[in-house]
Amino acid sequence: MGEKAQSHPGAAGRAVTADHPESIRNVVLVGHSGAGKTTLVEALALTTGAVNRAGRVEDGGTVSDYDDIEHRQQRSVQLSLVPVEWDGIKINVLDTPGYADFVGELRAGLRAADAALFVVSASDGVDGSTRAVWEECQAVGMPRAIVVTHLESARADFEEMTRLCAEAFGADDPDAVLPLYLPLRAPESPDGHAPVTGLVGLLSRKLFDYSTGERTESEPGEDELPGIEEARNRLIEGIIAESEDETLMDRYLGGEQVDVKTLVQDLERAVARGTFFPVLAAAPAADGARQGLGTLELLELITGGFPTPFEHPLPEVTTLDGRPRELQPCDIEGPLVAEVVRTSSDPYVGRVSLVRVFSGTLRPDDTVHVSGHGMTDRGHEDHDVDERIGAVSMAFGKQQRPVPHAVAGDLVCVAKLSRAETGDTLSGKDDPLLMEPWQMPDPLLPLAIQAHSKPDEDKLSQGLARLVAEDPTMRLEQNQDTHQVVLWCLGEAHADVALERLRSRYGVQVDVVPHKVSLRETFAGKAAGRGRHVKQSGGHGQFAICEIEVEPLPNGSGIEFVDKVVGGAVPRQFIPSVEKGVRAQAAKGVAAGYPLVDVRITLLDGKAHSVDSSDAAFQTAGALALREAAADTRIHLLEPVAEVGVLIPDDYVGPVMSDLSSRRGRVLGTEQVGTGRTLVRAEVPEFEIGRYAIDLRSLSHGTARFSRAYARHEPMPPQVADRIREQAGDTP
């Protein structure tokens, strides 16, 4: 590599198309926030001629015109696609947000791509979330390379960062994470800083100087060769170790000189197989320059070393009734199978879907079948409808450039899919199919909202539906117990973006209100109550008296009603009325307004009047009797308890367990998961984990993740219950 890259004429304003999967590369950029992913995308666009030196395409847009919210928040919040062309290869560059709250966009990018570029900052290092994504890619065998950015920083140390990457990413084989190039630095300035002006190609033994804004090539001096040879020999050994030619290592160790062409071919095959992970360096172009440092070398790696869509295994495909369907990878003549990997709204076009085509060819105005994704628990309805798509286009920032078709392996934008949501499958209307959805993180931060005004209330339902259609990591809950509308998000930034989108895109202003936990009430002991409802006001009066006994039952028993009336004290026709009355009162609560559960209510006696007794009167008497019984005993408030599993690096086990205990949690046990990670299992009251998604991220520096599931309701500690009653306006 480093031999063939040439300057390309500008392509700004021209749609980049591909007619065969062999000429497509799909690459996702991964890295923490601030690592320089978007800057690298812009540098690649400039080098390939997709934008001019001002960073603009011919129609005035820029590569970073993704989302108004991103500009206001100064960070990426959604997956963005930038298609560029190099040496006849179309490269779909997927830029993902680096902030943990938008991991759903990252997962979508991993699904749509065939290889990943991990972008790490030379001054910041490798964070825990980036390591976790590396492990995800490793689990599926996705080819990867590493790009070190921010070399201009005074604290930048490329060699040290390469060593750290080998430690973080090369646990199984550190020699599989090696640099292809070394930075070439200018003489030190008076302040002691030596800027990077070029690269040293280890395989080619060439110097590539970018100081003029265009790459120039030269031979190293005699004094530079020893340092180059040491790094070169280690690189060659790392490449040969992954070679399919098992005799090559013995020949090399025996003194045979391996030609560069063979090494490059073995390197490219090892990268495409996902067994070797080269480290490169990159820096943005200087003012007036067209080539950023390292961009040509990176383009060579992508076009020569990264796999074509043919080499990407297809996700599982079934018919709508669940029967497996075998398909050839990237068969442009095969049945249409595509997937919506991102959904967004455009004020002029409407809903725009970013689609990865896995099989067949997608054309404008086709009628496709939209199959749902089975996430009804998150507020996403299942789909099974036919829709006619609109234009098929290439996205570039905010610009959409029409293309005649999209072949298998390509990524395009599709307009007018009004029913399709992120994660849905598009297939032929006469051959409907369904792809296995990718794994989405569980949203664990509740955000309770209510409409700000009556006009907002009228628009809220539609706005929320459109919001969750765009973002499958968000869950919409209409809580029947608390009567709250709750958006479950991944973190505070995720919640902020959701509120901003509701306001700016859908014209819905909402207020955030405290999130309520679904409490219950139950009797602490046996109690009796007498309900007397006697009124006379001319004509027919109201007369009903009933006596009940209430006793607690085991957790989960619900409400049990027993009739033990003898002698007809309460006429048979009014016994269901008493039951209806006590059940209605139980639903309203008897102490702090929360539903009463797990009690047996026994009707023992009562009185009736031949004229004035009625169904309504005995319903009222039953409710009064239950309230009187509650006044004579202690009422327990029951709070929901969640089963929590926290997966953390071993270094944080102690702090996490201590934190769980401080939340009234009961640690049930720990177990080792893989190397260096522990799963802590605990039961924690839901009152105490409303903001746990935020607190755990802070406690573990973003390296932990957790799950929660409802376990049961159990009595609150008295001091906590008393505080809840006071807030409800009652006395204990």
Side-chain angles (χ1 to χ4, degrees):
M1 295 187 181
E3 305 281 347
K4 61 184 179 182
Q6 302 294 326
S7 298
H8 279 217
R14 176 171 61 84
V16 182
T17 59
D19 291 320
H20 197 274
E22 287 281 6
S23 60
I24 298 171
R25 304 291 184 274
N26 297 311
V27 183
V28 60
L29 270 61
V30 177
H32 65 79
S33 184
K37 298 186 298 299
T38 301
T39 302
L40 181 59
V41 172
E42 292 171 346
L44 292 172
L46 177 62
T47 299
T48 58
V51 297
N52 58 30
R53 290 183 179 182
R56 293 192 168 270
V57 294
E58 288 181 355
D59 50 13
T62 69
V63 67
S64 56
D65 282 337
Y66 302 140
D67 191 301
D68 292 337
I69 296 174
E70 292 181 321
H71 286 294
R72 286 192 290 272
Q73 298 205 0
Q74 295 297 301
R75 62 183 167 202
S76 297
V77 301
Q78 70 175 22
L79 177 71
S80 301
L81 170 66
V82 177
V84 298
E85 186 175 357
W86 190 254
D87 279 343
I89 301 294
K90 179 189 178 186
I91 305 172
N92 289 315
V93 183
L94 292 154
D95 185 13
T96 63
Y99 199 67
D101 279 14
F102 307 105
V103 66
E105 301 287 329
L106 168 63
R107 295 272 176 85
L110 292 173
R111 175 67 162 230
D114 304 314
L117 279 175
F118 279 73
V119 183
V120 298
S121 169
S123 56
D124 295 335
V126 181
D127 68 342
S129 60
T130 305
R131 286 190 183 95
V133 178
W134 182 277
E135 291 171 3
E136 286 188 37
C137 293
Q138 190 170 23
V140 297
M142 175 175 277
R144 285 147 281 161
I146 302 157
V147 183
V148 179
T149 60
H150 295 166
L151 294 172
E152 68 280 5
S153 169
R155 297 185 292 118
D157 187 333
F158 179 81
E159 289 75 14
E160 175 65 10
M161 179 51 58
T162 301
R163 185 186 67 78
L164 292 175
C165 287
E167 287 183 358
F169 302 141
D172 297 331
D173 183 6
D175 288 334
V177 181
L178 294 170
L180 295 184
Y181 303 87
L182 297 179
L184 182 66
R185 294 188 179 273
E188 286 189 4
S189 58
D191 62 2
H193 180 55
V196 177
T197 58
L199 298 171
V200 180
L202 294 180
L203 290 182
S204 63
R205 292 193 184 94
K206 302 288 185 182
L207 304 185
F208 303 105
D209 186 3
Y210 281 86
S211 59
T212 64
E214 297 282 342
R215 188 177 81 170
T216 58
E217 183 180 315
S218 62
E219 299 291 333
E222 290 295 327
D223 58 329
E224 296 171 306
L225 283 174
I228 294 174
E229 287 303 313
E230 182 181 350
R232 184 176 190 270
N233 289 338
R234 189 179 176 200
L235 173 62
I236 290 174
E237 290 177 10
I239 294 172
I240 292 175
E242 301 298 334
S243 174
E244 295 176 348
D245 184 350
E246 296 179 358
T247 68
L248 194 57
M249 179 63 80
D250 292 335
R251 286 154 44 201
Y252 172 73
L253 294 176
E256 180 179 327
Q257 292 295 318
V258 183
D259 65 277
V260 172
K261 182 178 179 181
T262 299
L263 290 172
V264 170
Q265 290 174 344
D266 280 343
L267 169 65
E268 291 178 344
R269 282 193 288 264
V271 171
R273 289 197 310 269
T275 58
F276 188 83
F277 316 105
V279 183
L280 295 90
D287 291 343
R290 196 174 69 78
Q291 293 176 351
L293 183 144
T295 52
L296 293 171
E297 289 76 13
L298 185 54
L299 288 165
E300 291 175 13
L301 175 68
I302 292 172
T303 55
F306 278 177
T308 70
F310 279 120
E311 299 164 75
H312 184 112
L314 277 177
E316 182 180 339
V317 179
T318 65
T319 59
L320 297 189
D321 58 6
R323 288 180 288 112
R325 180 70 178 273
E326 295 295 331
L327 298 176
Q328 294 297 319
C330 267
D331 182 1
I332 61 177
E333 301 297 333
L336 176 65
V337 180
E339 188 171 39
V340 179
V341 294
R342 191 201 70 200
T343 308
S344 59
S345 296
D346 185 280
Y348 304 105
V349 181
R351 185 176 291 185
V352 178
S353 303
L354 177 62
V355 172
R356 161 78 191 246
V357 184
F358 285 93
S359 173
T361 300
L362 185 66
R363 294 180 174 83
D365 300 320
D366 276 353
T367 298
V368 299
H369 187 82
V370 180
S371 303
H373 39 56
M375 289 195 290
T376 51
D377 60 320
R378 298 194 180 191
H380 302 259
E381 64 180 44
D382 285 339
H383 300 137
D384 188 11
V385 297
D386 289 340
E387 279 200 273
R388 185 180 181 184
I389 66 174
V392 176
S393 59
M394 294 308 310
F396 200 93
K398 287 185 176 179
Q399 280 65 47
Q400 303 288 331
R401 300 171 182 150
V403 294
H405 57 260
V407 299
D410 208 352
L411 283 155
V412 289
C413 290
V414 176
K416 296 184 179 179
L417 279 173
S418 59
R419 296 292 301 277
E421 299 183 0
T422 301
D424 280 354
T425 302
L426 309 182
S427 55
K429 64 175 183 177
D430 299 324
D431 187 11
L433 299 170
L434 184 63
M435 296 188 75
E436 179 187 23
W438 66 85
Q439 184 182 8
M440 281 294 174
D442 290 327
L444 297 169
L445 180 69
L447 182 72
I449 59 173
Q450 63 185 22
H452 181 71
S453 63
K454 182 62 171 70
D456 293 311
E457 190 174 328
D458 296 337
K459 296 184 290 185
L460 181 60
S461 235
Q462 184 180 8
L464 289 173
R466 295 172 69 182
L467 183 68
V468 297
E470 293 186 13
D471 188 353
T473 64
M474 190 172 292
R475 177 161 61 89
L476 176 62
E477 176 191 9
Q478 307 272 355
N479 193 296
Q480 300 302 313
D481 293 330
T482 64
H483 307 292
Q484 284 189 318
V485 176
V486 182
L487 280 175
W488 288 84
C489 306
L490 294 174
E492 284 184 305
H494 193 206
D496 290 344
V497 168
L499 295 176
E500 179 65 15
R501 283 178 174 162
L502 278 174
R503 184 191 65 79
S504 60
R505 287 188 182 177
Y506 310 128
V508 183
Q509 188 77 31
V510 298
D511 297 323
V512 178
V513 296
H515 177 244
K516 297 178 182 178
V517 173
S518 301
L519 299 181
R520 302 283 188 269
E521 300 174 354
T522 195
F523 277 54
K526 186 179 292 188
R530 185 172 188 266
R532 185 176 185 276
H533 183 62
V534 178
K535 287 188 177 181
Q536 188 68 47
S537 56
H540 284 299
Q542 299 179 49
F543 187 96
I545 298 175
C546 63
E547 297 179 7
I548 64 171
E549 182 181 76
V550 185
E551 55 187 318
L553 293 177
N555 190 299
S557 300
I559 299 289
E560 184 179 328
F561 183 82
V562 178
D563 169 24
K564 286 191 177 179
V565 174
V566 295
V570 177
R572 304 309 302 170
Q573 69 268 28
F574 293 133
I575 289 176
S577 304
V578 176
E579 180 178 1
K580 189 174 181 181
V582 297
R583 287 189 180 276
Q585 184 63 53
K588 296 176 184 177
V590 293
Y594 300 106
L596 179 70
V597 295
D598 302 336
V599 293
R600 177 184 292 122
I601 302 169
T602 304
L603 178 60
L604 300 174
D605 201 357
K607 292 182 180 179
H609 188 276
S610 59
V611 175
D612 292 342
S613 291
S614 65
D615 170 65
F618 271 100
Q619 284 192 46
T620 303
L624 291 171
L626 185 59
R627 292 208 296 267
E628 183 177 291
D632 286 344
T633 190
R634 178 78 178 179
I635 300 297
H636 282 321
L637 283 189
L638 305 177
E639 62 181 337
V641 175
E643 292 181 356
V644 174
V646 187
L647 184 62
I648 44 172
D650 292 344
D651 294 344
Y652 298 104
V653 171
V656 165
M657 291 176 68
S658 176
D659 179 70
L660 289 171
S661 297
S662 72
R663 297 171 185 271
R664 298 191 282 127
R666 294 185 295 273
V667 176
L668 303 178
T670 62
E671 58 185 85
Q672 203 68 28
V673 179
T675 304
R677 285 183 172 268
T678 298
L679 177 65
V680 178
R681 293 179 294 104
E683 291 182 344
V684 190
E686 290 191 7
F687 254 115
E688 306 292 341
I689 55 173
R691 291 177 54 84
Y692 193 56
I694 299 167
D695 298 337
L696 179 63
R697 185 177 297 166
S698 175
L699 184 65
S700 67
H701 300 280
T703 60
R705 60 179 184 267
F706 82 104
S707 61
R708 60 184 283 181
Y710 170 77
R712 62 187 174 279
H713 275 73
E714 64 180 35
M716 273 184 167
Q719 65 274 20
V720 180
D722 290 344
R723 187 170 68 246
I724 297 297
R725 290 191 185 95
E726 289 170 6
Q727 292 172 354
D730 289 298
T731 57

